[in-house]
Amino acid sequence: MSDEKMTAPVEAKPEKKKIILSGIQPTGIFTLGNYIGAVRNWGQLQEDYNCYYFVADLHSLTIRQDPADLRKQSLEAFALLLAAGIDPEKSLVFIQSHVRSHAELGWILACNSMFGELSRMTQFKDKAAKHADNVNAGLFTYPSLMAADILLYQADYVPVGADQTQHLEFTRNVANRFNGIYGNVFKLPEAFLPKEGAKIMSLQDPAKKMSKSDPNPKSRISILDDEDTIMRKFRSAVTDSEAHVCYRDDKPGINNLMTIYSVVTGKTYGQIEAEFEGKGYGDFKTAVGEAVSEELRPIRENFARLIGDKAYLEETYKMGAERAERISGRTLAKVRKKIGLLANPF
Ligand code: TRP
């Protein structure tokens, strides 16, 4: 008789995947910049990480929003995440305000955030200057809510753009302070920086970041723009008068187009320079436009299908909210207990 049964090795536990978390505000259709800088990478991380992605609708309230537009854009943002390849079976996808823990921990963390440190946030200063008629308290405590978003889920990594690294640093400081006072509750998250920090600039002013809120629509590619629109916008992109496709410090317009083309096609700058040797900017812009339009085609098509299927979207965000509620509820219960709130009677 074999004693195989007794000696069979216990199967090694698969290593637990690290948690990645990020949010995006529903303030308009994402641009090619949001896509290349964030959402495209989010999809690629799903295999190797436990990914949590959400539509940060509460954060959008810090700027005055038209209620009907906010409702519409929140659903569109959710659909766009799915259209861009985030799979609700693999990742947790939800809408921030559906999960009450965010607002609740946001308040608790606001009570552990210092006036001085919030005053130093450059985004607060920028937004306060831009919206001088509405410098509300939420705009000021925005980083406390963002810290809550992250800390509720014990996230290991947060993929953020350069404009959010200060908020992530703030999150670590608040978590550290809280853990120091009340005992270890929060994991300290780290920034997750994409390999090539592909920052996409405005097509009309390559010194500025491509932005959803730029008043000039020619400055950006929306990820739902149709092929003709994409081609037209690239053709009118601001470059220089040299007519030589190469990556050089004094050619910000061409550098931006080269970055876009390189990310989308996987070609290196050297390969791109060789490909357009002796050709003019017209040919190059056409090639970039075609490559981008092809890259975005499946997103356009998926989006059109998804936005027509409200029942599916509702079912999917409900499923996400339920799971998010369970996960975040565990952290919130610990926090409540630590700081001395009476146990919730329901
Ligand atoms: N503040 C982020 C932005 O505007 C959005 C956001 C809200 C976020 N909560 C987050 C990003 C938590 C990462 C993690 O881009």
Side-chain angles (χ1 to χ4, degrees):
M1 246 222 274
S2 127
D3 60 356
E4 205 180 312
K5 225 171 153 188
M6 288 170 63
T7 56
V10 182
E11 205 166 290
K13 250 200 179 163
E15 210 182 311
K16 236 181 145 208
K17 287 183 182 171
K18 297 273 190 197
I19 296 171
I20 291 228
L21 173 141
S22 201
I24 189 158
Q25 291 195 46
T27 41
I29 298 295
F30 308 159
T31 67
L32 181 67
N34 300 126
Y35 175 66
I36 289 178
V39 181
R40 185 177 194 256
N41 307 321
W42 294 4
Q44 294 167 349
L45 296 167
Q46 294 180 107
E47 304 304 329
D48 300 324
Y49 297 90
N50 243 333
C51 295
Y52 304 165
Y53 300 125
F54 64 92
V55 175
D57 56 348
L58 292 175
H59 276 99
S60 303
L61 299 176
T62 56
I63 306 293
R64 187 84 62 228
Q65 303 289 338
D66 175 78
D69 286 350
L70 180 61
R71 211 167 0 252
K72 178 166 174 279
Q73 290 176 351
S74 298
L75 190 67
E76 286 176 352
F78 186 77
L80 271 176
L81 292 178
L82 304 184
I86 290 164
D87 177 351
E89 299 293 328
K90 286 187 196 147
S91 299
L92 174 57
V93 215
F94 63 98
I95 294 178
Q96 184 187 30
S97 69
H98 291 171
V99 184
R100 310 247 171 121
S101 328
H102 292 250
E104 190 172 337
L105 185 64
W107 171 254
I108 294 171
L109 294 183
C111 298
N112 286 274
S113 306
M114 296 302 126
F115 184 86
E117 60 186 343
L118 287 170
S119 308
R120 285 194 294 276
M121 295 292 124
T122 56
Q123 190 171 80
F124 169 71
K125 290 189 245 180
D126 292 349
K127 288 196 179 176
K130 213 168 139 195
H131 304 275
D133 57 338
N134 183 22
V135 185
N136 60 77
L139 193 63
F140 190 64
T141 57
Y142 177 117
S144 308
L145 179 61
M146 182 160 158
D149 298 338
I150 298 168
L151 300 175
L152 276 170
Y153 298 88
Q154 308 289 349
D156 294 284
Y157 300 114
V158 182
V160 285
D163 61 329
Q164 298 295 319
T165 51
Q166 198 186 24
H167 290 162
L168 191 63
E169 206 42 50
F170 168 86
T171 300
R172 290 169 57 88
N173 290 341
V174 170
N176 211 7
R177 178 178 311 135
F178 189 100
N179 287 349
I181 300 172
Y182 299 105
N184 247 337
V185 178
F186 298 128
K187 173 171 276 172
L188 298 198
E190 281 170 42
F192 188 91
L193 301 167
K195 266 180 258 132
E196 346 133 35
K199 184 168 166 195
I200 307 303
M201 312 307 281
S202 156
L203 298 183
Q204 291 298 313
D205 177 1
K208 285 199 309 207
K209 199 176 134 178
M210 184 181 283
S211 162
K212 285 188 282 203
S213 53
D214 192 313
N216 182 359
K218 278 163 73 182
S219 69
R220 64 177 163 268
I221 303 291
S222 146
I223 71 168
L224 296 178
D225 278 347
D226 61 32
E227 181 157 9
D228 283 351
T229 309
I230 294 176
M231 297 306 292
R232 206 161 10 87
K233 287 180 179 173
F234 276 113
R235 259 183 246 121
S236 66
V238 169
T239 49
D240 54 65
S241 52
E242 194 190 38
H244 179 205
V245 177
C246 68
Y247 200 97
R248 224 176 50 210
D249 274 355
D250 60 340
K251 295 168 74 78
I254 287 296
N255 295 351
N256 189 36
L257 297 183
M258 285 184 72
T259 303
I260 295 171
Y261 193 61
S262 165
V263 170
V264 170
T265 61
K267 292 176 186 167
T268 63
Y269 292 147
Q271 287 167 331
I272 299 170
E273 283 169 15
E275 182 178 348
F276 294 96
E277 183 66 58
K279 293 190 186 149
Y281 286 170
D283 289 340
F284 178 50
K285 288 175 169 180
T286 301
V288 180
E290 282 169 357
V292 167
S293 179
E294 271 319 296
E295 168 86 14
L296 299 182
R297 180 185 306 282
I299 302 178
R300 288 197 290 276
E301 292 173 357
N302 290 338
F303 180 81
R305 186 170 40 76
L306 285 162
I307 207 67
D309 192 350
K310 299 275 183 308
Y312 171 77
L313 290 175
E314 280 175 24
E315 189 188 311
T316 307
Y317 68 58
K318 182 160 179 264
M319 179 178 87
E322 282 167 357
R323 230 188 109 207
E325 183 79 46
R326 271 199 308 282
I327 301 173
S328 60
R330 290 198 285 269
T331 304
L332 186 61
K334 266 194 224 163
V335 167
R336 292 181 51 101
K337 193 167 174 197
K338 291 273 192 198
I339 62 177
L341 296 179
L342 266 183
N344 207 327
F346 29 69

